[in-house]
PDB file of all heavy atoms in Angstrom:
ATOM      1  N   LEU A 278     -19.815   1.267   1.787  1.00 95.00           N
ATOM      2  CA  LEU A 278     -20.796   2.368   1.741  1.00 95.00           C
ATOM      3  C   LEU A 278     -20.858   2.919   0.350  1.00 95.00           C
ATOM      4  O   LEU A 278     -19.840   3.026  -0.363  1.00 95.00           O
ATOM      5  CB  LEU A 278     -20.347   3.491   2.687  1.00 95.00           C
ATOM      6  CG  LEU A 278     -20.467   3.231   4.204  1.00 95.00           C
ATOM      7  CD1 LEU A 278     -19.745   4.295   4.962  1.00 95.00           C
ATOM      8  CD2 LEU A 278     -21.934   3.208   4.592  1.00 95.00           C
ATOM      9  N   ALA A 401      -3.099  -0.757   7.693  1.00 88.00           N
ATOM     10  CA  ALA A 401      -3.290  -2.128   7.152  1.00 88.00           C
ATOM     11  C   ALA A 401      -2.014  -2.935   7.283  1.00 88.00           C
ATOM     12  O   ALA A 401      -2.021  -4.092   7.739  1.00 88.00           O
ATOM     13  CB  ALA A 401      -3.714  -2.032   5.676  1.00 88.00           C
ATOM     14  N   THR A 498     -30.596  -3.620   2.587  1.00 93.00           N
ATOM     15  CA  THR A 498     -29.295  -3.412   1.977  1.00 93.00           C
ATOM     16  C   THR A 498     -29.349  -3.952   0.559  1.00 93.00           C
ATOM     17  O   THR A 498     -30.200  -4.780   0.231  1.00 93.00           O
ATOM     18  CB  THR A 498     -28.184  -4.196   2.695  1.00 93.00           C
ATOM     19  OG1 THR A 498     -28.413  -5.590   2.501  1.00 93.00           O
ATOM     20  CG2 THR A 498     -28.153  -3.895   4.183  1.00 93.00           C
ATOM     21  N   ASP A 659      34.589  10.809  -2.167  1.00 94.00           N
ATOM     22  CA  ASP A 659      35.160  11.568  -3.273  1.00 94.00           C
ATOM     23  C   ASP A 659      36.716  11.566  -3.159  1.00 94.00           C
ATOM     24  O   ASP A 659      37.426  11.514  -4.189  1.00 94.00           O
ATOM     25  CB  ASP A 659      34.645  12.988  -3.334  1.00 94.00           C
ATOM     26  CG  ASP A 659      33.140  12.974  -3.731  1.00 94.00           C
ATOM     27  OD1 ASP A 659      32.677  11.952  -4.265  1.00 94.00           O
ATOM     28  OD2 ASP A 659      32.474  14.021  -3.445  1.00 94.00           O
ATOM     29  N   GLU A 841      -2.884 -28.799  20.193  1.00 79.00           N
ATOM     30  CA  GLU A 841      -4.305 -28.796  19.861  1.00 79.00           C
ATOM     31  C   GLU A 841      -4.533 -28.042  18.541  1.00 79.00           C
ATOM     32  O   GLU A 841      -3.962 -26.984  18.343  1.00 79.00           O
ATOM     33  CB  GLU A 841      -5.108 -28.066  20.945  1.00 79.00           C
ATOM     34  CG  GLU A 841      -5.429 -28.838  22.194  1.00 79.00           C
ATOM     35  CD  GLU A 841      -6.522 -29.871  21.924  1.00 79.00           C
ATOM     36  OE1 GLU A 841      -7.568 -29.496  21.386  1.00 79.00           O
ATOM     37  OE2 GLU A 841      -6.267 -31.050  22.201  1.00 79.00           O
ATOM     38  N   GLN A 869      13.225 -33.593  30.976  1.00 77.00           N
ATOM     39  CA  GLN A 869      14.365 -34.505  30.972  1.00 77.00           C
ATOM     40  C   GLN A 869      15.677 -33.718  30.862  1.00 77.00           C
ATOM     41  O   GLN A 869      16.635 -33.945  31.568  1.00 77.00           O
ATOM     42  CB  GLN A 869      14.297 -35.502  29.811  1.00 77.00           C
ATOM     43  CG  GLN A 869      13.359 -36.648  30.053  1.00 77.00           C
ATOM     44  CD  GLN A 869      13.096 -37.440  28.775  1.00 77.00           C
ATOM     45  OE1 GLN A 869      13.711 -37.214  27.752  1.00 77.00           O
ATOM     46  NE2 GLN A 869      12.137 -38.343  28.878  1.00 77.00           N
ATOM     47  N   ALA A 872      16.584 -31.935  33.979  1.00 50.00           N
ATOM     48  CA  ALA A 872      17.105 -32.763  35.061  1.00 50.00           C
ATOM     49  C   ALA A 872      18.534 -33.106  34.716  1.00 50.00           C
ATOM     50  O   ALA A 872      19.494 -32.909  35.369  1.00 50.00           O
ATOM     51  CB  ALA A 872      16.299 -34.048  35.133  1.00 50.00           C
TER      52      ALA A 872
END
Side-chain angles (χ1 to χ4, degrees):
L278 288 168
T498 69
D659 293 341
E841 278 287 307
Q869 280 168 8

